[in-house]
Amino acid sequence: MNYTELWHLLAQRYDEGEAKAIARMAYEVRFGLTFSDLCLGKDTQLSADDQTELEEIAQRLLQGEPIQYVLGQAEFCGRTFFVNEHVLIPRPETEELCRWIVSEARSERMEARDCSILDIGTGSGCIAITLATEMPGAEVTAWDISPDALEVARKNAKRADVHVSFRQVDALNNANSSFHISHFSLIVSNPPYICNKERETMEANVLEHEPHTALFVPDDDPLLFYRAIAQYGQTALKEGGWLYFEINPLYAESLRQLLCAMRFCRIETKEDQYGKQRMIRARKGKRVKK
């Protein structure tokens, strides 16, 4: 099987552009062949063992398994992260959240060694590790309820050569977290925020392969995790500390109202590259009277 045959095969399930991109990624990541190499016909020079592996990759892709899981890696903020079925595939919107945090942290000089960060629901560790890398003076802690996800995150932190303190904690029941009184400068989370009723609009490869516990919340309580994390932040954040969330655009205004009612201030939502309200931040502190 060569490159042209592979993308034609994948076009049975994906559109042509996506099929070509997936095929190129498979050749580059697994066999070290660039697009220039493919143009020179080096895809026809794979060994018998490599051809067998390529056919196995093709079959997994035809079954709808995301290319990141098939290859065991995903790109995020210019770094390569190990991923598997126990963690969500890092997405561009989350990269935008990290860039926003880093930009504002630098403007407020939060990179100092007294800056402490908590990432709740860390998954692959992409947020925590990115912040630890971009803010090297900060103390970074990351929670997840899943021991399998934490194993992935620890592997990624070791690969990135950064220190993150990983803990198995349930965001909805964090009584044993040991951090409760004014410890953190910043709490960030990309929690489950998709309601079950939205399943019918989602791509099949996401529904069939990515962990549902990291995706879905009950239809009758879409702010479940945001409320719990914000309540924890009321005591665990230092005065003047920040909350940052990735959000479901459908509930941006409801979340803003919730944070306002909980007496957070300087609340701001931010659009992603597609023009959707995808991020929000709020500060713990007294409101300034006008």
Side-chain angles (χ1 to χ4, degrees), residues 32 42 72 86 95 100 142 160-161 172 209 250 267:
K42 293 186 178 180
H86 299 300
E95 291 188 5
W100 190 24
D161 193 26
L172 301 179
H209 296 280
L250 295 174
I267 301 167

Side-chain angles (χ1 to χ4, degrees), residues 2-52:
N2 59 31
Y3 164 69
T4 300
E5 291 170 335
L6 176 59
W7 79 253
H8 275 292
L9 185 65
L10 296 179
Q12 297 175 24
R13 184 171 187 116
Y14 305 93
D15 64 50
E16 182 177 319
E18 189 173 8
K20 289 180 177 179
I22 291 172
R24 287 197 298 270
M25 188 182 301
Y27 274 103
E28 181 168 2
V29 172
R30 186 62 77 236
F31 307 110
L33 297 180
T34 65
F35 184 62
S36 296
D37 292 329
L38 298 178
C39 293
L40 293 172
K42 293 186 178 180
D43 52 322
T44 63
Q45 301 171 17
L46 294 181
S47 67
D49 287 344
D50 285 347
Q51 277 291 341
T52 298

Side-chain angles (χ1 to χ4, degrees), residues 12 30 34 49-50 72 79 97 108 110-111 118 136 159 173 198 210 228 270:
Q12 297 175 24
R30 186 62 77 236
T34 65
D49 287 344
D50 285 347
R79 301 174 184 88
L97 175 64
E108 298 207 6
M110 287 176 60
E111 303 124 304
L118 173 62
R159 173 186 284 185
N173 181 21
E198 297 177 69
E210 299 201 49
K270 190 175 180 66

